[in-house]
Amino acid sequence: MVDPVISEMYSTQVEELRAAEREGWRRGLKFRLLDITDPMALRPDGHPNQYGHWPHEKVRRPDCLHWCLPGPIDVWNEILLQMIKMESRRSIY
């Protein structure tokens, strides 16, 4: 179950992307969304909480500033790289 606040933020971000796509299309620009929502929901470290902290720190609130590497951000990089490769292949044909 996704937190309602996170769900609302996600929906707002997608709406804003769609608006940018419409405006960009008129200007000859393309936009892509790197949507990491589903892949990160499958990882226990997909959203930082206690990860990256020592057990004695007893971190209870989300900590969105610190990530353990290698980890989710490395996966984002791999997904982004594949998106770029796929886009470049499309432009060749």
Side-chain angles (χ1 to χ4, degrees), residues 34 72-82:
L34 175 56
I73 294 175
D74 297 301
V75 173
W76 302 350
N77 290 332
E78 290 296 323
I79 295 169
L80 179 59
L81 178 60
Q82 292 306 312

Side-chain angles (χ1 to χ4, degrees), residues 23-84:
E23 180 62 30
W25 183 80
R26 289 193 277 272
R27 298 179 185 193
L29 303 173
K30 290 192 278 185
F31 294 87
R32 297 290 179 264
L33 173 66
L34 175 56
D35 187 351
I36 50 92
T37 306
D38 289 338
M40 291 304 103
L42 298 174
R43 293 183 59 124
D45 60 347
H47 186 80
N49 268 333
Q50 70 272 18
Y51 302 101
H53 297 279
W54 296 105
H56 70 273
E57 291 181 274
K58 295 185 177 30
V59 173
R60 294 178 190 263
R61 66 189 188 295
D63 179 359
C64 297
L65 297 176
H66 301 92
W67 294 83
C68 297
L69 294 177
I73 294 175
D74 297 301
V75 173
W76 302 350
N77 290 332
E78 290 296 323
I79 295 169
L80 179 59
L81 178 60
Q82 292 306 312
M83 287 176 67
I84 292 169

Side-chain angles (χ1 to χ4, degrees), residues 1-12:
M1 173 90 186
V2 176
D3 181 283
V5 173
I6 293 172
S7 180
E8 184 178 348
M9 276 193 325
Y10 175 79
S11 296
T12 301

